[in-house]
Amino acid sequence: FGFVFAYSLSRKQVPGKGFLRYTGMIPIFAPTMLLGISLIYLFGNKGILTGLGLVIPLYGATGIILAESIYCFPVATTILMVAFSAADNRLYEAAESLGTSAWRKMRTITIPSVKYGLLSAIFVCFTYSFTDFGAPSVVGGNYNVLATDVYKQVVGQQNFNMGAVVGI
């Protein structure tokens, strides 16, 4: 989602580009517990959108993935927008004058020129979601992730040695 959003803001003529850019950055100001709580208000058992008929099995892996996607979206978008801004526009102009299709431009120009930014965004988002505690503790239910396991060992059972082992 971050790739498509950054691509559309960088390479396409989108109306309201500034508004969309700032709207996409809103989740960066919210802690992840707030994202989990807002998902519960929207899609929980008595949620607003659940009452309207949009039912999503929120508690468990689906809720964690949804919350982490919202949490990592602004970071991925920022990294990819920098990568798109550093791409060479002359290649796009040459491909346009030669009549290259949109799919071929994406495959031969866009992806190779932003591959390092894309890899950076993937690694940063993986690290963010791997170490996050807020969303899995709120919407995770009985689904175990590393951060909640370490918390249960250290705080819940006072087993600091096992918490260190799980952390390593």
Side-chain angles (χ1 to χ4, degrees), residues 88-140:
D88 192 7
N89 287 332
R90 294 176 295 176
L91 296 173
Y92 290 100
E93 292 172 4
E96 190 70 32
S97 66
L98 291 172
T100 306
S101 67
W103 169 246
R104 186 163 182 188
K105 281 191 279 188
M106 177 65 76
R107 191 172 40 91
T108 59
I109 299 171
T110 304
I111 301 293
S113 65
V114 299
K115 65 182 172 187
Y116 296 117
L118 190 60
L119 283 172
S120 296
I122 288 170
F123 284 131
V124 168
C125 290
F126 173 76
T127 305
Y128 263 42
S129 61
F130 191 71
T131 59
D132 184 30
F133 175 76
S137 65
V138 174
V139 295

Side-chain angles (χ1 to χ4, degrees), residues 6-160:
Y7 179 77
S8 63
L9 289 180
S10 300
R11 295 281 173 206
K12 301 294 179 186
Q13 296 299 321
V14 178
K17 195 180 282 193
F19 175 74
L20 288 174
R21 179 178 293 154
Y22 290 121
T23 304
M25 293 299 143
I26 288 174
I28 207 165
F29 299 115
T32 57
M33 282 191 163
L34 181 64
L35 294 174
I37 292 169
S38 64
L39 285 175
I40 289 173
Y41 279 130
L42 290 174
F43 300 110
N45 294 335
K46 301 283 185 178
I48 297 168
L49 297 178
T50 304
L52 297 174
L54 184 62
V55 178
I56 294 177
L58 182 66
Y59 302 105
T62 306
I64 293 173
I65 291 170
L66 189 60
E68 295 300 332
S69 298
I70 296 169
Y71 176 56
C72 293
F73 178 78
V75 177
T77 301
T78 304
I79 292 170
L80 289 169
M81 284 188 66
V82 170
F84 280 122
S85 67
D88 192 7
N89 287 332
R90 294 176 295 176
L91 296 173
Y92 290 100
E93 292 172 4
E96 190 70 32
S97 66
L98 291 172
T100 306
S101 67
W103 169 246
R104 186 163 182 188
K105 281 191 279 188
M106 177 65 76
R107 191 172 40 91
T108 59
I109 299 171
T110 304
I111 301 293
S113 65
V114 299
K115 65 182 172 187
Y116 296 117
L118 190 60
L119 283 172
S120 296
I122 288 170
F123 284 131
V124 168
C125 290
F126 173 76
T127 305
Y128 263 42
S129 61
F130 191 71
T131 59
D132 184 30
F133 175 76
S137 65
V138 174
V139 295
N142 292 329
Y143 195 83
N144 291 330
V145 295
L146 181 68
T148 57
D149 284 346
V150 171
Y151 182 79
K152 288 175 189 174
Q153 288 294 327
V154 173
V155 175
Q157 299 177 2
Q158 297 293 316
N159 191 354
F160 295 104

